[in-house]
Amino acid sequence: MMNEYAILYLEINIFSLVLIGIVLLKTMGLSQMVAQSHFAMSIIAEMVFFVSDTLFVLVNEGVLPGGKPVMMACKEVYFLATAAMCFFWFIYFEYLRETRFVKRRRYVLYSISILWLMVIALLANLFNHSLFYIDESGVYRRGPFFILTYILSYSYVLIAFIRVMINLKRDTEATNKDLLIRLAFFPLFPGISGVLQFIYPRLPIACAAISITTLYLYLTWVDQLISLDPLTGLNNRKQLTHTFNNLSKSHEDQDKIRLYLIDVNHFKQINDTYGHLQGDNALKIIAEALKAACKGENKGTVIARYGGDEFVILVSENNNDETIDLKERIKEKLKELSKKKSVPFELTVSVGSACSDNGDSLKDLILKADKAMYMEKKKYH
């Protein structure tokens, strides 16, 4: 008869497996983005982790036959799956944050070296039992270098956490900071469960903690989908409204919210002459220029695509001179990027700004900035 510990372990792991299976199906159904393909790979590695972990316990508890060879195979697969899972988490984090790391293929290839070290260590363990082994009486034992299985795997999680924290310190855009804070909390569950599992090997919490973490990452991604513009990666209008309302509530009386309305000059002409693909490319370049221009701005800065070829920036300020500086930075960055990317047409923008008065709504600010923007736009006609 199956013992109570094996029943509990089996139930927890089956629940965890079903949960991440649902997340995997939803993920694959919603997007084919490169970032999500890595997330899907991490889930597949988790599934292998869960199955090998469950089989080991069932064999070890005498519920299933197999003995020493099966138990060794389960543990070898278990630790390899752990490292693979952490590797794909790490890459997924980098794609979510759109870092330069994932744009340089050699960096990704370098990062996989830790995973290869785990493969080598596990192969060597079959002969020298330096990590773990099953003794003659069929009892699972840890080897003298067992700690390496944790160091190699969780180094990916630790590096991801450090990089997110550095990114969090440097980034000034409010929505980006919100995502980074969520990602910074990610290692909490797997980290704590890993430590507890190391100290208390029979504690059945690893699979449950990892499945909850996976669900957390999935919900974070879904939240990004509904709040970001798919073409430019900036906030959409819905997120802009939400953020403006939050900023309005949290601002002190002496602080002001300044709104910049940015409109692309002759955008219809660009589409008609060079095609919609080039038009889309122009919008992406402008989005990149706005991000570059806003680096170093006050915390709480928000950049959004308002619709079509219009963009909005919200900045907390108490100094009107900042308006001129940011306008000029936007135009300078756009000029630099246009030249760097060899844009086959002149790409310029008109910028209007308005500062909030007490009780101003987002619509009120946009109307004010719109008037200022069209005054500037006349220069380009």
Side-chain angles (χ1 to χ4, degrees):
M1 183 176 177
M2 194 182 299
N3 62 45
E4 290 183 4
Y5 173 74
I7 292 173
L8 176 63
Y9 213 98
L10 182 63
E11 288 175 345
I12 291 174
N13 284 15
I14 288 176
F15 172 79
S16 302
L17 191 62
V18 170
L19 178 61
I20 64 168
I22 293 170
V23 172
L24 178 62
L25 289 174
K26 289 289 185 180
T27 300
M28 295 177 74
L30 279 172
S31 175
Q32 298 300 320
M33 293 187 297
V34 177
Q36 291 314 118
S37 68
H38 285 89
F39 184 46
M41 289 300 294
S42 75
I43 295 176
I44 292 169
E46 285 174 40
M47 289 179 158
V48 175
F49 172 94
F50 292 178
V51 171
S52 59
D53 183 46
T54 306
L55 285 176
F56 174 84
V57 170
L58 294 178
V59 173
N60 189 47
E61 295 295 313
V63 176
L64 292 178
K68 184 177 177 179
V70 175
M71 290 170 68
M72 277 295 291
C74 285
K75 276 298 179 183
E76 289 277 333
V77 173
Y78 172 90
F79 286 115
L80 179 59
T82 305
M85 174 178 64
C86 293
F87 167 74
F88 286 115
W89 276 344
F90 170 73
I91 298 298
Y92 177 59
F93 273 29
E94 296 299 316
Y95 271 107
L96 271 186
R97 296 184 296 114
E98 298 179 345
T99 63
R100 278 185 268 179
F101 183 93
V102 289
K103 294 176 183 177
R104 298 180 180 179
R105 186 173 176 79
R106 69 177 185 276
Y107 287 177
V108 178
L109 293 175
Y110 293 157
S111 68
I112 206 172
S113 60
I114 298 175
L115 182 57
W116 279 113
L117 284 175
M118 177 66 91
V119 172
I120 293 168
L122 289 171
L123 287 174
N125 182 68
L126 293 172
F127 304 97
N128 59 25
H129 297 164
S130 58
L131 301 177
F132 57 86
Y133 61 96
I134 311 298
D135 67 17
E136 294 303 319
S137 59
V139 177
Y140 170 72
R141 304 286 185 186
R142 293 175 174 180
F145 297 105
F146 176 78
I147 190 66
L148 281 177
T149 60
Y150 278 75
I151 291 173
L152 291 174
S153 295
Y154 284 92
S155 61
Y156 282 121
V157 179
L158 180 61
I159 293 168
F161 175 75
I162 292 170
R163 286 176 60 80
V164 167
M165 293 304 293
I166 293 171
N167 206 170
L168 184 59
K169 188 176 180 180
R170 292 176 178 173
D171 209 307
T172 57
E173 194 185 345
T175 310
N176 286 349
K177 292 182 84 69
D178 181 58
L179 172 64
L180 292 170
I181 289 170
R182 292 188 188 190
L183 293 180
F185 274 105
F186 157 79
L188 189 63
F189 285 122
I192 292 173
S193 68
V195 171
L196 289 173
Q197 196 94 6
F198 180 81
I199 300 171
Y200 307 106
R202 288 177 63 83
L203 199 62
I205 62 168
C207 293
I210 290 169
S211 63
I212 290 170
T213 301
T214 302
L215 179 61
Y216 174 80
L217 282 179
Y218 171 72
L219 293 175
T220 298
W221 171 61
V222 170
D223 189 51
Q224 287 294 103
L225 278 184
I226 63 177
S227 63
L228 296 183
D229 171 59
L231 177 66
T232 62
L234 300 177
N235 297 297
N236 58 23
R237 187 184 295 197
K238 178 182 176 182
Q239 184 64 22
L240 175 69
T241 303
H242 175 72
T243 307
F244 176 82
N245 291 336
N246 286 341
L247 282 174
S248 298
K249 291 175 185 175
S250 63
H251 265 58
E252 299 178 3
D253 293 337
Q254 68 269 24
D255 292 331
K256 297 288 185 181
I257 300 174
R258 182 166 289 277
L259 182 145
Y260 298 84
L261 183 63
I262 301 100
D263 186 85
V264 186
N265 296 316
H266 309 297
F267 186 65
K268 185 178 184 302
Q269 186 179 330
I270 292 172
N271 272 332
D272 292 344
T273 306
Y274 297 94
H276 289 282
L277 286 179
Q278 281 288 2
D280 287 349
N281 186 47
L283 296 176
K284 291 177 184 177
I285 291 171
I286 290 167
E288 191 175 340
L290 296 180
K291 287 181 179 179
C294 287
K295 281 186 176 178
E297 279 296 322
N298 297 333
K299 292 181 179 180
T301 300
V302 177
I303 311 170
R305 183 183 177 192
Y306 190 67
D309 60 334
E310 290 186 324
F311 299 83
V312 166
I313 300 174
L314 294 178
V315 181
S316 304
E317 67 162 41
N318 48 34
N319 182 354
N320 289 335
D321 292 339
E322 293 177 6
T323 305
I324 300 170
D325 292 342
L326 184 55
K327 278 185 179 181
E328 292 307 313
R329 283 205 305 274
I330 289 170
K331 292 175 181 180
E332 286 172 11
K333 293 297 180 182
L334 183 56
K335 187 176 180 181
E336 289 173 12
L337 283 169
S338 297
K339 185 177 180 181
K340 181 181 177 181
K341 295 178 183 288
S342 303
V343 176
F345 45 79
E346 184 181 25
L347 186 56
T348 60
V349 294
S350 297
V351 184
S353 72
C355 199
S356 64
D357 292 323
N358 290 334
D360 270 348
S361 67
L362 179 61
K363 185 178 180 181
D364 293 332
L365 268 179
I366 288 174
L367 286 173
K368 290 180 186 178
D370 190 55
K371 289 179 183 178
M373 185 265 292
Y374 270 100
M375 291 293 291
E376 183 173 310
K377 204 171 186 68
K378 288 179 180 179
K379 301 174 187 176
Y380 293 93
H381 289 276

